[in-house]
């Protein structure tokens, strides 16, 4: 079984995939709720941190300063290849460099506190860009800076197999004594015993070489006919080519396998079978992903000049992408293009209703078509694993495919003898297929697949024998993620929010009985890594007012209590009397599910009613109202500061947020900014009815998607809030990126209705309350031009109650403390003056 290091890509909002860690606080009864008179059935509260001293004066300058003062929590924790140590990265104090640290899994062995920093001379032994391990192999292999290292499972010795500036990637096991890897458009193997390296195959985007070609025209034809020298040269080229071909066929010391593809194409992804006899190569047309107009001016550079940086394409400019999947037989040189016609729904007009609606609005008619859809690998900006998985026996390979229209995901197997796709699972979604929860893989011993699917309404785990039926392993209204199959195929380990949408624990389920067992009961946000020998868990755990720390847990001891192995939170952080938010289930006017929200509120008696602020998290599809430490740590501190000034703060996981199932996620399909604002209205009602808040003294703010929501709230519900701040906001979705936006709104050429009903720039007339717009100028995520265009429309509409602050050196996620401070001083001033 091959295990891959996860790589997460994100491009929306400040990509906050919550870091998870631990604290000693525990879940308490609702009666300990710090907010007076909250309905107890809607509250899930974690005990408040006790103040021991007052070293830190909580003010905006402190909150927005370099966050090192919080303690520099562990990042990207993992097990060492031999399982003897736990590695993690920790930021150096005062600069952005991350050091690699090692610590013992058991705190009793950890005499140095948080462990020790790995020297740069030894870092290749512990830093894994890719790592593979299998119970049938007596070594572990990994990549460091493109070079291959192996470690013996018996004597733990580490050896380097390659050393090249032309780095290896795509590391896999090869037969019993080797590994395979890719360099450019070639696959190689190396024997770990002998060090022998072999180039297995190469592929080229060019015409296959021919020693002679047909005459181009009459003159060339006559030249060959009349001049003996030309005839001789052609004959000699043929002889040399034939001799070289014979040599390669008869001499096993030479590499013989070369494949040729369309010169106008390029490689998307490739994978070599474990026995080296087969390969999958996926190609697509080699067209540029952007053009000369996709630029971003950078005004503050060392040379004092303006630099035009190349940036991503807009969704409005995206063109269909078709990928071709080829099966290559390495020895024979035969290649077969696999036909998508074997996939159910390959030519369904899944957008027919949308196209018809748009056509009718423009006075046209639409006739349904059955043209083949554009299809390719499901391997985009959020990919965590490769979408090509070989079974250990090399006879079968599974691939995960998606339609360019985002409505279908297929898992198909390819039998190397039949050379056709055989669909094992199709997941269709009338809105869009989630870019998360796409894990799949093979059992080690059986020709059986496991996979995650949202078809029940929540991400759940399933198994599927190649010649059998789909079977559900987990069931319920909760989210399953981060699945690991044990090496003996007997257990699945996974993370899920079974107890409460905002509490993630670690579970194990038998592949035989399908009975699940909770392994942790930490109450908060918990993630994990299974040790190489599967005897222990590395836990990354946090709570509402405690940043992430690392824990270990021995699975051989029944009901073992996790042992804390790092203590990185600073004394300064612990000295602050932070406001611990309550997790409140706000009754929805539009769904049966409540809207889970964080509520920060003052304690004790108050004369009169409170002011309130509604914070809107970014990304849309993100969960922030959980019981762990939030990636929005500055906002957490700002909200504690606001509470000290008498404000109540609400932070809602509005519809579109993660963690609550498929229907919650897709509620915004073709109508971004409608369900979310409906939920904010319910939040306002809750604050008024339950938190002693004055309806006429409520403001709102947020960044990225949260900035977009601020626009939509002030433009479409002008009486809901008295003021709002939109930070790095989207104003027109046609200018945002394709992978994210096309999921939710389709594409502008197909569904302009969705874009026009979802983009704030079309609703500017509704602005009547004070609006602050804070815009970074070197934002390659949400372009500065989004604000520029909106401000021009505001000017043309003669709106007077807005102001704009620009930040010339800041990207989407601010970096400089001075910029953070300026931004939040303006936000605070906006609320103080208008609430």
């Amino acid at each position: 079984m091959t295990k891959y290091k996860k790589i997460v890509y994100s491009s929306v909002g400040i990509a906050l995939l919550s870091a998870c860690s631990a604290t000693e606080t525990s879940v308490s009864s609702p009666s300990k709720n710090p907010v007076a008179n909250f309905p107890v059935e809607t509250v899930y509260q974690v005990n408040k941190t006790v103040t021991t001293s007052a070293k830190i004066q909580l003010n905006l300058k402190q909150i927005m300063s370099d966050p090192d003062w919080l303690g520099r929590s562990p990042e990207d924790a993992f097990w060492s290849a031999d399982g003897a140590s736990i590695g993690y990265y920790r930021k150096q104090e005062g600069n952005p460099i991350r050091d690699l640290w090692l610590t013992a899994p058991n705190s009793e062995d950890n005499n140095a506190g948080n462990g020790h920093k790995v020297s740069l001379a030894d870092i290749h032994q512990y830093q894994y860009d890719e790592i593979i391990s299998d119970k049938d192999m007596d070594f572990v292999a990994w990549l460091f800076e493109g070079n291959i290292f192996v470690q013996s499972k018996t004597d733990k010795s580490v050896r380097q197999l390659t050393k090249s500036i032309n780095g290896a990637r795509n590391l896999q096991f090869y037969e019993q004594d080797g590994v395979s890897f890719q360099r450019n458009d070639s696959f190689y193997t190396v024997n770990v015993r002998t060090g022998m390296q072999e180039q297995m195959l190469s592929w080229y985007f060019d015409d296959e070489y021919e020693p002679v070609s047909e005459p181009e025209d009459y003159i060339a034809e006559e030249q060959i006919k009349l001049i003996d020298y030309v005839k001789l040269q052609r004959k000699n080229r043929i002889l040399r080519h034939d001799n070289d071909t014979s040599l390669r066929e008869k001499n096993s010391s030479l590499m013989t396998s070369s494949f040729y593809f369309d010169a106008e194409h390029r490689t998307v992804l490739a994978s070599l079978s474990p026995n080296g006899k087969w390969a999958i190569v996926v190609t697509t047309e080699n067209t540029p992903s952007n053009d000369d107009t996709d630029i971003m001016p950078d005004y503050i550079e060392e040379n004092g000049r303006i630099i035009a940086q190349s940036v991503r394409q807009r969704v409005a400019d995206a063109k269909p992408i078709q990928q071709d999947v080829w099966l290559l037989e390495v020895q024979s040189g035969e290649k077969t293009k696999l036909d998508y016609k074997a996939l159910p729904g390959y030519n369904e007009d899944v957008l027919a209703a949308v196209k018809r609606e748009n056509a009718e609005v423009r006075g046209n008619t639409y006739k349904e078509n059955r043209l083949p859809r554009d299809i390719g690998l499901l391997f985009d900006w959020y990919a965590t694993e490769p979408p090509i998985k070989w079974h250990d026996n090399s006879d079968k390979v599974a691939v995960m495919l998606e339609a360019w229209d985002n409505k279908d995901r297929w898992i198909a197997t390819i039998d190397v003898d039949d050379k056709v796709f055989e669909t094992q699972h199709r997941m269709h979604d009338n809105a869009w297929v989630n870019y998360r929860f796409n894990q799949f893989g093979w059992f080690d011993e059986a020709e059986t697949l496991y996979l995650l699917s949202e078809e029940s309404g929540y991400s759940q785990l399933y198994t599927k024998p190649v010649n059998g039926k789909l079977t559900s392993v987990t069931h319920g209204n909760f989210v399953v993620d981060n699945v690991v199959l044990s090496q003996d195929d007997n257990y699945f380990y996974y993370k899920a929010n079974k107890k409460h949408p905002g509490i993630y624990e670690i579970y194990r389920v038998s592949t035989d009985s399908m009975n699940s067992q909770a392994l942790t009961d930490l109450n908060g946000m918990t993630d994990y890594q299974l040790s190489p020998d599967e005897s222990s868990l590395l836990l990354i755990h946090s709570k509402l007012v405690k940043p992430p720390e690392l824990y270990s847990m021995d699975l051989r001891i029944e009901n073992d209590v996790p042992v804390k192995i790092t203590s990185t939170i600073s004394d300064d952080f612990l000295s602050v009397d932070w406001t611990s938010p309550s997790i409140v289930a706000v009754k929805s006017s539009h769904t049966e599910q409540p809207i889970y929200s964080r509520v920060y509120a003052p304690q004790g008696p108050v004369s009169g009613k409170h002011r309130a602020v509604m914070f809107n998290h970014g990304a849309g599809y993100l969960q922030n109202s959980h019981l762990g430490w939030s990636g929005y740590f500055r906002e957490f501190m700002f909200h504690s500061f606001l509470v000290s000034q008498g404000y109540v703060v609400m932070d809602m996981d509005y519809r579109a947020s993660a963690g609550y199932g498929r229907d919650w996620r897709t509620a915004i399909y073709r109508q971004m900014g409608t369900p979310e604002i409906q939920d904010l209205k319910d939040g306002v009602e809750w604050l008024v009815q339950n938190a002693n808040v004055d309806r006429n003294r409520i403001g709102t703010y947020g960044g990225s998607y949260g900035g977009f929501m601020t626009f939509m709230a002030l433009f479409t519900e002008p009486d809901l809030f008295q003021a709002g701040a939109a930070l790095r906001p989207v104003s027109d979705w046609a200018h945002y990126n394709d992978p994210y936006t096309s999921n939710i709104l389709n594409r502008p050429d197909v569904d302009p209705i969705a874009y026009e009903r979802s983009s704030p720039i079309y609703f500017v007339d509704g602005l009547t309350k004070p609006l602050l717009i804070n815009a970074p100028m070197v934002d390659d995520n949400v372009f500065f031009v989004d604000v520029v265009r909106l401000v021009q429309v505001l000017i043309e509409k003669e709106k007077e109650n807005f102001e704009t602050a620009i930040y010339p050196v800041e990207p989407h996620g601010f970096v400089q403390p001075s910029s953070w401070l300026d931004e939040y001083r303006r936000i605070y001033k906006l609320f103080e003056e208008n609430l």
Side-chain angles (χ1 to χ4, degrees):
M1 181 188 304
T2 303
K3 301 177 182 177
Y4 295 86
K5 181 173 180 181
K6 289 192 172 182
I7 304 171
V8 177
Y9 304 95
S10 185
S11 61
V12 181
I14 305 175
L16 297 165
L17 308 174
S18 286
C20 307
S21 304
T23 77
E24 295 78 4
T25 56
S26 61
V27 175
S28 68
S29 66
S31 63
K32 295 185 179 180
N33 161 31
V35 186
N37 302 319
F38 282 7
V40 294
E41 70 273 14
T42 66
V43 177
Y44 212 99
Q45 170 63 24
V46 169
N47 285 335
K48 202 160 183 279
T49 304
V50 177
T51 300
T52 57
S53 61
K55 298 178 183 177
I56 297 297
Q57 188 70 32
L58 195 63
N59 55 44
L60 287 180
K61 188 166 185 177
Q62 179 66 42
I63 291 169
M64 300 303 158
S65 64
D66 189 318
D68 284 356
W69 72 273
L70 304 178
R72 299 177 291 123
S73 294
E75 302 173 8
D76 300 325
F78 60 93
W79 288 96
S80 63
D82 60 5
S85 303
I86 287 171
Y88 65 93
Y89 293 89
R90 195 177 186 200
K91 181 180 175 296
Q92 291 182 5
E93 190 166 4
N95 70 63
I97 304 300
R98 264 68 178 170
D99 293 320
L100 176 58
W101 288 66
L102 283 185
T103 188
N106 190 321
S107 62
E108 296 176 0
D109 302 329
N110 196 2
N111 297 323
N114 293 316
H116 67 276
K117 186 169 68 174
V118 178
S119 70
L120 293 180
D122 296 329
I123 200 168
H124 61 278
Q125 299 186 54
Y126 302 102
Q127 181 169 304
Y128 317 127
D129 301 328
E130 293 179 31
I131 183 168
I132 55 175
S133 179
D134 192 290
K135 67 180 177 63
D136 298 324
M137 297 293 187
D138 61 4
F139 62 92
V140 180
W142 65 85
L143 293 178
F144 169 73
E145 296 292 324
N147 293 313
I148 301 173
F149 294 81
V150 294
Q151 182 176 47
S152 167
K153 290 182 179 179
T154 52
D155 64 13
K156 311 301 182 184
S157 61
V158 175
R159 290 190 298 124
Q160 183 171 357
L161 299 183
T162 64
K163 188 174 184 179
S164 172
I165 196 170
N166 187 5
R169 57 190 173 93
N170 205 353
L171 190 65
Q172 298 185 81
F173 286 113
Y174 170 66
E175 296 187 329
Q176 280 300 117
D177 295 320
V179 294
S180 68
F181 62 94
Q182 184 179 344
R183 275 198 185 121
N184 301 319
D185 287 342
S186 297
F187 274 114
Y188 301 79
T189 63
V190 57
N191 187 297
V192 300
R193 316 295 176 201
T194 66
M196 171 68 180
Q197 195 172 131
E198 179 181 355
Q199 186 172 350
M200 300 294 290
L201 75 152
S202 293
W203 60 96
Y204 306 90
F205 295 94
D206 203 349
D207 295 328
E208 187 168 0
Y209 173 74
E210 295 291 344
V212 296
S213 58
E214 292 298 316
E216 296 178 6
D217 52 23
Y218 173 77
I219 291 178
E221 186 177 335
E222 292 304 300
Q223 182 84 339
I224 296 170
K225 184 190 302 182
L226 293 171
I227 300 180
D228 290 340
Y229 172 79
V230 173
K231 294 177 186 176
L232 179 62
Q233 296 304 309
R234 287 169 62 87
K235 178 183 177 182
N236 289 342
R237 287 204 303 274
I238 293 172
L239 289 171
R240 284 193 291 268
H241 179 263
D242 290 347
N243 184 68
D244 183 67
T245 302
S246 297
L247 174 63
R248 293 184 175 278
E249 288 176 352
K250 296 176 181 179
N251 192 309
S252 62
S253 72
L254 300 176
M255 197 279 288
T256 60
S257 297
S258 296
F259 298 84
Y260 294 85
F261 296 97
D262 190 324
E264 302 301 318
H265 283 216
R266 63 174 176 82
T267 303
V268 176
L269 199 68
S271 182
L272 185 68
S273 68
N275 63 10
K277 294 180 179 180
W278 305 90
I280 295 287
V281 174
V282 183
T283 67
T284 192
E285 191 174 349
N286 191 19
T287 55
S289 60
N290 58 4
D291 60 33
D292 293 341
T293 67
D294 294 318
I295 59 170
M296 176 181 67
D298 186 349
Y299 290 92
I300 308 296
E301 284 292 333
E302 291 182 13
N303 63 6
R305 271 71 175 177
I306 299 171
I307 294 178
Q309 294 187 15
S310 178
V311 291
R312 52 113 180 126
Q313 185 184 60
R314 293 163 173 81
V315 63
D317 298 327
K319 298 294 186 291
I321 297 174
Q322 170 81 3
Q323 296 176 0
D324 298 328
V325 181
W326 297 84
L327 177 64
L328 278 52
E329 189 170 359
V330 175
Q331 289 301 317
S332 71
E334 178 186 348
K335 70 178 192 289
T336 303
K337 181 179 174 181
L338 301 170
D339 198 333
Y340 291 134
K341 289 181 180 179
L343 304 177
Y346 83 98
N347 65 341
E348 284 184 19
D349 192 357
V350 295
L351 285 167
V354 170
K355 295 173 183 176
R356 188 174 296 111
E357 179 188 350
N358 278 273
E360 289 172 354
V361 167
R362 286 157 176 75
N364 302 319
T365 58
Y366 176 75
K367 185 177 181 181
E368 190 170 338
N369 72 65
R370 303 290 292 183
L371 296 174
R373 298 156 74 185
D374 293 297
I375 296 172
L377 296 176
L378 202 165
F379 190 59
D380 53 21
W381 58 281
Y382 197 86
T384 59
E385 295 182 355
I388 304 173
K389 302 284 183 71
W390 288 94
H391 193 278
D392 281 353
N393 64 21
S394 293
D395 291 334
K396 284 185 169 56
V397 60
V399 297
M400 181 173 281
L401 303 164
E402 67 172 340
W404 196 70
D405 54 46
N406 307 311
K407 302 295 186 283
D408 271 291
R409 182 195 82 178
W410 298 271
I411 297 176
T413 53
I414 306 161
D415 189 295
V416 296
D417 295 324
D418 299 334
K419 300 180 176 61
V420 294
F421 284 125
E422 182 177 347
T423 301
Q424 298 297 330
H425 184 258
R426 178 192 182 187
M427 186 173 69
H428 177 81
D429 196 309
N430 289 329
W432 74 92
V433 171
N434 200 342
Y435 49 79
R436 290 175 60 181
F437 311 126
N438 291 307
Q439 274 188 278
F440 77 109
W442 289 101
F443 276 62
D444 195 60
E445 300 298 334
E447 289 191 349
T448 298
L449 291 161
Y450 65 88
L451 59 105
L452 290 178
S453 172
E454 276 191 321
E455 61 195 65
S456 71
Y458 288 81
S459 170
Q460 297 293 325
L461 177 60
Y462 300 82
T463 58
K464 171 65 171 67
V466 168
N467 296 312
K469 294 182 178 180
L470 187 73
T471 300
S472 177
V473 177
T474 59
H475 322 260
N477 294 344
F478 55 85
V479 171
V480 173
D481 199 7
N482 194 9
V483 176
V484 175
L485 177 62
S486 63
Q487 296 180 39
D488 59 11
D489 290 348
N490 288 336
Y491 291 98
F492 286 111
Y493 294 81
Y494 63 94
K495 175 178 73 171
N497 57 349
K498 292 186 180 184
K499 296 187 334 189
H500 179 279
I503 297 176
Y504 287 80
E505 304 286 3
I506 311 307
Y507 298 84
R508 177 170 63 188
V509 59
S510 166
T511 58
D512 182 27
S513 68
M514 304 296 185
N515 292 327
S516 275
Q517 170 194 4
L519 298 177
T520 64
D521 187 23
L522 293 171
N523 294 315
M525 290 291 281
T526 307
D527 213 331
Y528 78 103
Q529 295 280 338
L530 185 62
S531 65
D533 66 359
E534 302 184 349
S535 67
S536 301
L537 292 179
L538 161 62
L539 302 173
I540 308 97
H541 177 73
S542 69
K543 282 189 167 64
L544 283 164
V545 293
K546 289 289 183 69
E549 295 287 10
L550 303 184
Y551 289 67
S552 66
M553 181 178 178
D554 194 330
L555 295 174
R556 296 165 296 188
I557 302 174
E558 188 173 356
N559 299 320
D560 185 40
V561 177
V563 175
K564 187 177 179 183
I565 56 177
T566 62
S567 295
T568 59
I569 303 171
S570 71
D571 291 339
D572 285 344
F573 177 87
L574 294 173
S575 75
V576 178
D577 189 15
W578 299 109
T579 298
S580 178
S582 299
I583 305 300
V584 174
V586 174
K587 182 176 174 56
S588 170
S589 301
H590 298 85
T591 70
E592 293 183 3
Q593 283 181 270
I595 312 155
Y596 286 92
S597 308
R598 289 187 172 201
V599 176
Y600 303 74
Q603 298 184 55
V606 178
S607 59
K609 291 184 177 292
H610 292 294
R611 299 173 289 177
V613 169
M614 186 78 74
F615 170 66
N616 309 311
H617 69 67
Y621 192 55
L622 177 148
Q623 186 175 13
N624 204 43
S625 295
H626 52 72
L627 278 85
W629 180 250
S630 172
Y632 286 104
F633 59 88
R634 289 186 180 86
E635 288 76 2
F636 160 77
M637 293 188 285
F638 180 54
H639 297 161
S640 284
F641 170 76
L642 288 177
V643 168
S644 74
Q645 307 298 306
Y647 288 82
V648 175
V649 181
M650 177 174 274
D651 171 2
M652 304 191 82
D653 273 346
Y654 48 81
R655 276 175 288 168
S657 298
Y660 305 96
R662 179 264 175 199
D663 291 349
W664 199 260
R665 168 177 65 85
T666 61
I668 59 171
Y669 179 57
R670 303 187 68 224
Q671 55 171 0
M672 295 168 83
T674 297
E676 309 95 300
I677 307 308
Q678 292 171 348
D679 293 345
L680 296 190
K681 290 177 70 176
D682 286 336
V684 167
E685 288 302 317
W686 191 95
L687 289 170
V688 171
Q689 298 298 322
N690 299 283
N692 194 30
V693 166
D694 184 342
R695 183 186 302 276
N696 296 314
R697 301 174 71 198
I698 306 175
T700 187
Y701 86 105
S704 193
Y705 199 99
F708 151 74
M709 285 179 57
T710 298
F711 280 157
M712 292 299 275
L714 266 61
F715 296 171
T716 65
E717 293 288 344
D719 295 327
L720 188 60
F721 300 110
Q722 302 308 305
L727 325 176
R728 48 199 175 278
V730 176
S731 68
D732 188 342
W733 286 108
H735 288 253
Y736 198 54
N737 71 33
D738 179 75
Y740 179 90
T741 319
S742 64
N743 280 324
I744 307 170
L745 301 179
N746 301 310
R747 292 180 174 89
D749 61 330
V750 170
D751 199 1
I753 288 175
Y755 282 80
E756 290 161 22
R757 69 161 64 115
S758 301
S759 295
I761 201 166
Y762 294 98
F763 300 96
V764 167
D765 278 331
L767 179 64
T768 61
K769 302 292 172 57
L771 168 64
L772 169 66
I773 308 172
N774 289 349
M777 295 182 68
V778 284
D779 187 342
D780 61 0
N781 185 345
V782 179
F783 296 152
F784 180 61
V785 71
D786 260 62
V787 166
V788 172
R789 295 177 70 243
L790 186 86
V791 166
Q792 180 60 30
V793 175
L794 287 167
I795 292 169
E796 292 174 0
K797 299 288 185 180
E798 300 182 1
K799 299 293 181 179
E800 299 181 45
N801 50 350
F802 76 93
E803 64 178 45
T804 305
I806 61 172
Y807 297 88
V809 302
E810 294 298 348
H812 194 64
F814 280 20
V815 176
Q816 303 305 317
S818 57
S819 299
W820 280 108
L821 178 60
D822 182 88
E823 178 174 61
Y824 275 78
R825 278 177 171 167
R826 293 175 187 274
I827 297 168
Y828 181 57
K829 179 181 178 183
L830 175 77
F831 294 148
E832 285 292 285
E833 291 181 348
N834 293 284
L835 304 184

